[in-house]
Amino acid sequence: MEIQASRSHARIGPSGEPILLLEQNRALWDQLLIRRGLAALERAGKIGNSRGRMHSKLRLQPAMPAAAPRRKTDWARIVALYGELPSSCHLQLWSMNRAVAVAMASGPAAGSS
């Protein structure tokens, strides 16, 4: 949740309009929340090695925006994170989000397959 919250100031423009990830001012991202969120993910990974559906979703979902460093989003890493989700997680929304990540990493044609 801290990783998600770290971008809250960059997600909304002065008139309340949403700002897409690619257009966000990353200087507004809260680096303390990102560090705390990544530390929490690391601690959670040490607690157990369960690879169940919910564990994978809870571990991987916040890691996806964390794959976006200050200047460039690592779309290939995000695609790889989607690949780590168990097949039971590949619902329509997850499949669509993965297709977007693939398109961003490898071009629109790759995302449509």
Side-chain angles (χ1 to χ4, degrees):
M1 291 183 70
E2 288 177 310
I3 292 172
Q4 293 293 340
S6 71
R7 297 187 297 128
S8 61
H9 293 297
R11 286 183 171 151
I12 300 173
S15 302
E17 72 280 5
I19 300 178
L20 301 175
L21 174 66
L22 296 176
E23 299 168 0
Q24 290 178 11
N25 178 351
R26 294 173 187 224
L28 297 176
W29 290 7
D30 188 323
Q31 296 302 308
L32 175 61
L33 287 178
I34 292 171
R35 285 191 304 275
R36 286 174 43 173
L38 291 173
L41 284 173
E42 187 175 331
R43 285 191 309 274
K46 292 177 182 179
I47 290 173
N49 58 6
S50 167
R51 298 290 285 187
R53 178 179 178 199
M54 284 309 295
H55 178 269
S56 294
K57 283 176 76 171
L58 292 173
R59 180 180 64 85
L60 295 173
Q61 188 174 11
M64 291 176 185
R70 287 182 86 63
R71 300 197 198 297
K72 186 177 177 201
T73 300
D74 188 348
W75 290 106
R77 180 171 175 218
I78 292 172
V79 171
L81 289 168
Y82 273 110
E84 290 184 36
L85 289 170
S87 59
S88 61
C89 290
H90 291 284
L91 305 173
Q92 289 179 348
L93 181 60
W94 285 95
S95 296
M96 181 187 70
N97 288 342
R98 183 186 177 282
V100 170
V102 169
M104 294 301 289
S106 303
S112 64
S113 58

